[in-house]
């Protein structure tokens, strides 16, 4: 009998693996609706939906392995990272979804969220004021007009699978929708700056590096408190707090 592996679990959702099947449990059906719809539209390989019985979604496992994880060593060749960049470009060039995603928040809404979060980080003593102030300044470059693209919205390297130098699929689409393409590129390379050139080689177009740096700071500032409160460690080597420190 296959064992049940807890892939990730916190108060909002949980993902379990049983053999070659992943079971995603999420009380927010809107997130599952987005995930199923996005996977049906995405112009890149995705898991197959086996069945759905709220609050559970069952999908197939993908072949291959990920390129690593935040805070851990990166794996894969430069060609594999470039292949991931090409897959991300194919996604961004795909037909636009009808809904905005996590990467599609308005500048005003994002700035307000960031300012409130920075204040909480400082007043709670979770992060030093100088670290927050510097990264809030760096984040300003993300606040600019952008052309909507089909974005994943949570494109961590742990969500992209490769076999050799070929991308075999992308998982976890609940934050997908119309959004800023550079948000995806920054999320994918967060904590793995040494592979950014490889990813951009595959992506195949010039991008504004200041905006990538801005999203690294912005995404990390917004994530630190949530991660701490949900049993994760953003202070671990190579994770979000180290990303913020690298901007000093």
């Amino acid at each position: 009998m296959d064992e049940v592996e807890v892939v990730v679990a916190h108060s909002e959702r949980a993902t379990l693996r049983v053999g070659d099947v992943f079971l995603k449990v999420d009380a927010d059906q809107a997130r599952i609706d987005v995930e199923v719809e996005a996977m049906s539209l995405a112009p890149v390989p995705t898991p197959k939906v086996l069945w759905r019985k709220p609050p559970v979604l069952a999908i197939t496992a993908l072949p291959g392995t990920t390129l690593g994880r935040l805070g851990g060593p990166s794996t894969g060749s430069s060609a594999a990272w470039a292949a991931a960049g090409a897959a991300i470009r194919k996604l961004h060039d795909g037909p636009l979804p009808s809904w905005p995603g996590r990467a599609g928040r308005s500048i005003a809404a994002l700035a307000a969220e960031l300012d409130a979060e920075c204040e909480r980080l400082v007043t709670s003593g979770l992060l030093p004021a100088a670290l927050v102030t510097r990264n809030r300044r760096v984040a300003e470059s993300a606040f600019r007009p952008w052309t909507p693209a089909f974005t994943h919205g949570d494109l961590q390297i742990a969500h992209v699978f490769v076999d050799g130098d070929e991308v075999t699929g992308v998982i976890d689409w609940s934050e997908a929708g119309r959004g800023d393409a550079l948000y995806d590129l920054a999320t994918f390379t967060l904590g793995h700056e040494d592979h950014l050139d490889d990813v951009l080689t595959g992506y195949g177009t010039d991008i504004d590096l200041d905006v990538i740096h801005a999203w690294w700071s912005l995404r990390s500032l917004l994530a630190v408190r949530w991660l701490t409160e949900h049993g994760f460690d953003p202070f671990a080597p190579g994770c979000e707090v180290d990303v913020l420190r690298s901007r000093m």
Side-chain angles (χ1 to χ4, degrees):
M1 181 176 180
D2 290 318
E3 293 183 352
V4 176
E5 174 191 355
V6 179
V7 178
V8 63
H10 48 77
S11 59
E12 294 182 1
R13 67 189 92 168
T15 300
L16 312 175
R17 180 170 186 169
V18 185
D20 290 332
V21 177
F22 282 90
L23 302 175
K24 305 193 71 172
V25 184
D26 195 329
D28 185 345
Q29 288 307 293
R31 278 196 294 252
I32 296 296
D33 290 342
V34 166
E35 179 146 16
V36 172
E37 181 69 9
M39 287 193 294
S40 73
L41 296 174
V44 296
T46 65
K48 178 182 178 182
V49 175
L50 297 175
W51 50 265
R52 180 182 181 188
K53 186 175 182 180
V56 182
L57 172 68
I59 59 176
T60 58
L62 290 172
T65 59
T66 67
L67 287 171
R69 61 179 178 82
L70 183 61
S74 60
T75 60
S77 64
S78 293
W81 283 87
I88 296 170
R89 178 60 183 270
K90 186 175 182 180
L91 171 66
H92 290 165
D93 286 344
L96 288 177
S98 60
W99 66 92
R102 179 71 175 168
R105 288 163 290 175
S106 71
I107 292 174
L110 193 60
E113 180 183 358
L114 180 61
D115 287 340
E117 190 60 31
C118 287
E119 183 177 357
R120 284 191 288 264
L121 289 170
V122 174
T123 57
S124 68
L126 193 58
L127 291 178
L131 184 66
V132 172
T133 299
R134 168 57 181 162
N135 278 276
R136 175 62 181 83
R137 190 175 302 120
V138 172
E140 285 286 336
S141 292
F143 302 147
R144 87 281 177 226
W146 42 267
T147 301
F150 188 160
T151 54
H152 181 279
D154 191 21
L155 200 63
Q156 305 171 44
I157 59 171
H159 293 163
V160 178
F161 284 71
V162 298
D163 185 1
D165 298 336
E166 179 183 354
V167 173
T168 57
V170 182
I171 63 172
D172 285 357
W173 292 84
S174 61
E175 307 288 352
R178 298 191 312 273
D180 180 358
L182 297 197
Y183 180 90
D184 274 353
L185 287 170
T187 301
F188 188 68
T189 55
L190 185 74
H192 291 282
E193 186 171 353
D194 53 327
H195 287 290
L196 178 58
D197 286 345
D198 295 329
V199 172
L200 296 183
T201 294
Y203 195 74
T205 188
D206 291 334
I207 59 102
D208 189 336
L209 292 179
D210 286 342
V211 177
I212 295 292
H213 298 161
W215 277 122
W216 284 342
S217 290
L218 201 159
R219 193 181 193 284
S220 297
L221 286 169
L222 292 181
V224 167
R225 186 174 58 88
W226 185 95
L227 291 168
T228 301
E229 293 174 352
H230 287 80
F232 302 99
D233 186 8
F235 291 86
C239 292
E240 285 81 3
V241 175
D242 273 356
V243 171
L244 295 173
R245 290 169 177 155
S246 72
R247 297 299 108 196
M248 298 297 286

